[in-house]
């Protein structure tokens, strides 16, 4: 069973359910959960979605085969990220996978539009892609390695986007970790 943490309005869950997977999603926003349920209902899909915090995934140990995070944990603080990764590990089956996309890198240029509020965490953005985001936590390979230390193996990649003058315009990490 796959689950999406911070599922939002179901943009990752709905395609998985359409492929035949039994899907679950959690999000702190009741409005997002209701929208996911409505979108799934209109497509005739069964998706179990609930209002929940990523630090307390309300499922038993070793329940999921696959857990997806797309830019949710990077928009939280370090303490929340550590707790959430522990919950992901707890709820994954023995051979399960944790896949994360769009974790922002320490060199992302839009961090210059905010200020560092604690180590690796930025807020108070005045412009750029993060202007309407409360906080952004940043990552490099070492930080990701430390967070995934309990997993048997993982593969992380950095994705950099450059403009025509070879200036960095975006830096993100993605990874897949096996329990």
């Amino acid at each position: 069973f796959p689950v999406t943490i911070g599922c939002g309005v179901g943009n990752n869950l709905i395609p998985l359910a359409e492929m035949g997977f039994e899907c679950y999603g959690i999000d702190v926003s009741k409005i997002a959960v209701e929208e996911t349920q409505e979108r799934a209902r209109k497509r005739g899909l069964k998706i179990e979605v609930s209002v929940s915090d990523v630090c307390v995934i309300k499922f038993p140990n070793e329940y999921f085969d696959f857990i997806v995070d797309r830019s949710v944990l990077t928009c939280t603080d370090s303490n929340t990220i550590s707790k959430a990764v522990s919950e992901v590990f707890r709820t994954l089956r023995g051979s399960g996978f944790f896949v994360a996309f769009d974790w922002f890198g320490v060199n992302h240029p839009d961090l210059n539009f905010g200020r560092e509020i604690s180590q690796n965490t930025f807020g108070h953005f005045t412009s750029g892609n993060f202007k309407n985001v409360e906080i952004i936590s940043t990552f490099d390979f070492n930080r990701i390695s430390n967070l995934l230390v309990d997993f048997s193996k993982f593969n992380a990649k950095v994705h950099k986007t450059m403009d025509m003058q070879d200036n960095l315009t975006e830096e993100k990490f993605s990874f897949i970790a096996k329990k």
Side-chain angles (χ1 to χ4, degrees):
F1 311 126
V3 64
T4 298
I5 56 175
C7 66
V9 296
N11 291 338
N12 295 313
L13 285 175
I14 288 173
L16 290 169
E18 288 175 335
M19 288 188 274
F21 290 99
E22 184 177 331
C23 295
Y24 299 83
I26 62 171
D27 201 285
V28 295
S29 168
K30 182 180 178 188
I31 293 169
V33 165
E34 290 169 352
E35 178 67 19
T36 300
Q37 291 167 331
E38 180 63 17
R39 290 178 69 203
R41 185 193 62 72
K42 285 181 179 177
R43 289 173 170 78
L45 301 171
K46 184 178 182 251
I47 298 174
E48 185 177 320
V49 189
S50 60
V51 176
S52 184
D53 184 326
V54 295
C55 293
V56 184
I57 300 175
K58 297 175 185 175
F59 286 90
N61 294 348
E62 300 191 5
Y63 190 78
F64 297 110
D65 297 308
F66 191 75
I67 296 178
V68 177
D69 168 35
R70 182 163 181 241
S71 296
V72 172
L73 295 183
T74 197
C75 295
T76 61
D77 60 81
S78 295
N79 190 39
T80 299
I81 294 166
S82 294
K83 287 179 182 177
V85 170
S86 292
E87 278 293 276
V88 164
F89 189 83
R90 179 189 67 78
T91 58
L92 272 176
R93 289 191 177 142
S95 59
F97 291 93
F98 176 36
V99 178
F101 302 93
D102 300 339
W103 283 26
F104 298 108
V106 296
N107 298 309
H108 197 295
D110 283 1
L111 297 172
N112 294 319
F113 297 119
R115 69 174 202 258
E116 192 166 21
I117 53 178
S118 63
Q119 185 174 7
N120 298 312
T121 305
F122 294 77
H124 310 285
F125 295 96
T126 57
S127 189
N129 290 322
F130 305 140
K131 183 176 182 184
N132 295 317
V133 180
E134 187 176 332
I135 62 172
I136 294 291
S137 287
T138 61
F139 300 88
D140 58 20
F141 284 110
N142 287 335
R143 184 158 187 230
I144 291 171
S145 296
N146 290 335
L147 282 167
L148 302 176
V149 69
D150 292 333
F151 288 82
S152 66
K153 60 183 171 180
F154 75 91
N155 183 1
K157 293 182 180 179
V158 63
H159 309 274
K160 295 182 179 185
T161 305
M162 311 299 273
D163 67 15
M164 297 293 283
Q165 290 77 39
D166 233 12
N167 298 311
L168 181 68
T169 59
E170 192 168 64
E171 181 184 53
K172 298 179 191 179
F173 284 85
S174 62
F175 65 82
I176 184 164
K178 183 176 182 187
K179 184 169 179 184

